[in-house]
Amino acid sequence: MSDQQFDVIVIGAGPAGYVAAIRAAQLGLKTACVDDFTGKDGKQALGGTCLNVGCIPSKALLDSSRQFWNISHNFPVHGISVEGAKVDLGTFIGRKDKIVKQFTGGIGQLFKANKVTAFYGKGKLLKGNQVEVTGKDGSKQTLSATNVILASGSVPIELPFAKFDGKAIVDNAGALDFTEVPKRLGVIGAGVIGLELGSVWKRMGADVTVLEALPDFLGAADADVAKIALKEFTKQGLAIKLGAKVSKAEVKKDGVHLTYSDKDGEQQLVVDKLLVAVGRRAYTDGLLAADTGVKLDERGRIVVDEHNHTGVDGVWAIGDAVRGPMLAHKGSEEGVAVAEWIAGKAGHINLDTVPWVIYTEPEIAWAGKTEKQLKDEGVPYKIGTFPFAAIGRAVAMNEAIGQVKMLAHAETDRILGVHMVGPGVSELIAECVVAMEFKGSSEDLARIVHAHPTLSEAVHEAALSVDKRAIHKGN
């Protein structure tokens, strides 16, 4: 049928896929987007994992839990006392659901405004750039396109001895929908998801224990930043056990019984709920017919070149299903770039300047190389640091924890990496990414006027500190 022929078909409507579809449509390409995510109401919910059970709902709960935490831990410093504060968990979770519904509906409206045709079902790439769509009722239809963009995303990694049951042992989605605050919450994995959701339920009153198999905390982050963060999380009451390798998880009447080993030998832990957050894997199950020619690597990711092309004419792949960091904003930018390449324009994505953020309290953010990476690569560098304790705005906010650390090339002064832990650093990192994208130097940031009093002054002073000329600390 003629209405089943498109210029572009996108499989997946997460932050990579829906953005690619909208950009392709903006460029005048007849575009369709196939997705099978079902919302709580049983209807199609665009936005993928990020919007439905990831980035957005977790931030909603993080903000709500922070408000509750502030009542007893931050307000008294300001002379504000509140007696008998309590949380209605139905409203707490309901607010999150309302925000998700607002944004999934918003993507639907954007599709209509840009004339993107949405199909509800599971998409499968067939040979010849055809896409088979299997509906929830099992019905099938076949679409054709000049170009197909694979944006199938990722799913949580499940441990063989701790299978998700949606009740006692949960993934990130389950940890967003607890019907009551668990008295004891166990978390396997001290990564982004484990720390963020662990923080939510700790603030709500849970006794949280985080078990991390690796010996180092936040190994992907700069060591100095990780050290500060670990100290603060421990102060908040998160019990983070490093080098703790879990080998068994048994669901019994009194909770989930965990067996793990650490430097002191075999240990036991009983929790009411267990969140398994050991990472995610590319979701390509049922995505590709055997004869498409699209290849997967040893980790199950779709193989692509620097332009996200699979090597098969007209077939592209973006987001969590390909190499690079599994971050929503990385996937979105790949989606824009691929749409522009398809349209004959100059798309752009630089994986070296993708910012990372962990939305804990304090926040953690970084972009570029860590000090360890520079040492390992033999790159000469110089360091500038500045603590939030010396920033007037941070002290006035009662959030004077953490620092900004800047790494610049010892000879050219080009910024190689910036690492932050502290208040609002999820926003502060953007300035540094801009500077890095334009090949900026620490001198460039040092000579830019920053408003006073603001948190951004920590970036300014860290840049000055690279050449030992910070004003508000000793050099």
Side-chain angles (χ1 to χ4, degrees):
M1 294 172 60
S2 60
D3 63 344
Q4 305 299 298
Q5 176 68 43
F6 296 89
D7 297 316
V8 176
I9 297 174
V10 183
I11 299 179
Y18 87 74
V19 170
I22 290 173
R23 184 63 185 130
Q26 288 176 344
L27 292 165
L29 301 169
K30 185 180 180 183
T31 305
C33 188
V34 181
D35 192 85
D36 70 342
F37 202 102
T38 301
K40 279 190 170 182
D41 58 4
K43 298 178 181 178
Q44 183 178 30
L46 302 171
T49 292
C50 175
L51 181 44
N52 286 279
V53 292
C55 319
I56 302 304
S58 63
K59 301 313 163 287
L61 294 190
L62 278 162
D63 191 71
S64 293
S65 65
R66 183 188 180 191
Q67 306 302 331
F68 184 61
W69 176 268
N70 282 345
I71 288 174
S72 57
H73 294 81
N74 198 15
F75 284 7
V77 175
H78 298 276
I80 303 170
S81 60
V82 179
E83 299 295 329
K86 60 182 180 178
V87 174
D88 179 279
L89 206 61
T91 303
F92 180 80
I93 298 296
R95 173 181 176 269
K96 176 263 295 180
D97 291 341
K98 184 178 180 181
I99 291 169
V100 169
K101 185 72 174 173
Q102 174 186 338
F103 280 93
T104 57
I107 295 173
Q109 292 301 314
L110 288 170
F111 273 11
K112 289 179 181 177
N114 288 282
K115 296 183 172 60
V116 174
T117 304
F119 289 88
Y120 187 20
K122 184 171 177 60
K124 181 177 186 177
L125 178 68
L126 307 178
K127 187 177 182 180
N129 295 5
Q130 291 190 317
V131 174
E132 179 184 78
V133 182
T134 303
K136 292 295 182 182
D137 60 359
S139 62
K140 296 180 185 292
Q141 60 180 314
T142 302
L143 316 176
S144 298
T146 307
N147 290 276
V148 177
I149 303 175
L150 306 173
S152 53
S154 62
V155 291
I157 293 172
E158 189 172 45
L159 295 173
F161 56 82
K163 297 283 190 180
F164 301 129
D165 62 16
K167 296 177 182 177
I169 302 177
V170 301
D171 60 7
N172 57 290
L176 291 167
D177 275 333
F178 289 151
T179 55
E180 61 182 8
V181 178
K183 290 182 180 178
R184 302 164 298 178
L185 174 63
V187 180
I188 303 179
V192 177
I193 294 170
L195 290 173
E196 289 185 356
L197 292 178
S199 293
V200 166
W201 296 109
K202 173 60 189 174
R203 293 173 193 165
M204 300 304 291
D207 182 7
V208 180
T209 303
V210 182
L211 303 173
E212 170 56 55
L214 296 175
D216 297 319
F217 181 66
L218 285 180
D222 187 86
D224 288 340
V225 162
K227 182 179 179 181
I228 294 170
L230 178 59
K231 181 179 178 181
E232 291 305 317
F233 296 153
T234 301
K235 275 186 184 178
Q236 293 168 18
L238 283 174
I240 300 174
K241 300 183 182 298
L242 302 175
K245 298 180 180 179
V246 184
S247 58
K248 188 183 293 185
E250 296 178 286
V251 180
K252 298 183 180 181
K253 285 186 178 180
D254 63 338
V256 184
H257 288 242
L258 298 172
T259 302
Y260 69 93
S261 58
D262 59 15
K263 59 181 175 55
D264 297 319
E266 189 171 276
Q267 310 289 339
Q268 304 292 323
L269 176 69
V270 180
V271 296
D272 299 297
K273 299 283 187 181
L274 176 65
L275 165 61
V276 178
V278 294
R280 299 179 66 84
R281 63 172 178 86
Y283 178 58
T284 54
D285 302 354
L287 177 67
L288 306 168
D291 58 354
T292 62
V294 176
K295 294 180 173 60
L296 303 180
D297 67 13
E298 68 282 354
R299 293 172 58 184
R301 301 174 301 184
I302 301 166
V303 176
V304 293
D305 63 15
E306 69 274 17
H307 293 108
N308 289 80
H309 193 260
T310 64
V312 176
D313 251 5
V315 181
W316 315 71
I318 58 178
D320 284 4
V322 303
R323 81 286 178 267
M326 288 183 170
L327 299 170
H329 42 282
K330 172 262 193 181
S332 293
E333 291 307 314
E334 285 180 327
V336 170
V338 166
E340 292 178 347
W341 283 320
I342 288 172
K345 297 185 177 294
H348 170 80
I349 175 72
N350 181 5
L351 298 181
D352 291 333
T353 55
V354 174
W356 292 70
V357 179
I358 303 177
Y359 297 87
T360 45
E361 193 76 23
E363 292 183 341
I364 304 165
W366 72 90
K369 303 283 189 178
T370 65
E371 187 174 353
K372 182 179 185 303
Q373 287 173 324
L374 294 177
K375 282 181 180 177
D376 291 345
E377 294 170 12
V379 177
Y381 65 92
K382 47 189 178 177
I383 304 172
T385 62
F386 198 81
F388 281 102
I391 295 295
R393 180 71 187 278
V395 174
M397 293 165 58
N398 195 39
E399 295 183 47
I401 293 169
Q403 69 170 12
V404 174
K405 176 177 180 179
M406 189 171 295
L407 302 168
H409 197 285
E411 297 161 4
T412 67
D413 194 39
R414 179 176 168 182
I415 300 171
L416 302 175
V418 184
H419 308 269
M420 310 175 176
V421 55
V425 297
S426 59
E427 303 292 343
L428 298 184
I429 195 65
E431 173 184 11
C432 303
V433 172
V434 170
M436 292 168 68
E437 189 67 29
F438 285 95
K439 318 299 183 192
S441 65
S442 69
E443 180 76 7
D444 291 326
L445 285 181
R447 291 194 176 277
I448 293 173
V449 178
H450 288 66
H452 173 76
T454 63
L455 298 176
S456 69
E457 289 179 280
V459 175
H460 186 217
E461 290 271 10
L464 287 165
S465 174
V466 169
D467 284 320
K468 304 292 186 278
R469 52 196 179 100
I471 302 299
H472 294 94
K473 75 160 193 171
N475 291 293

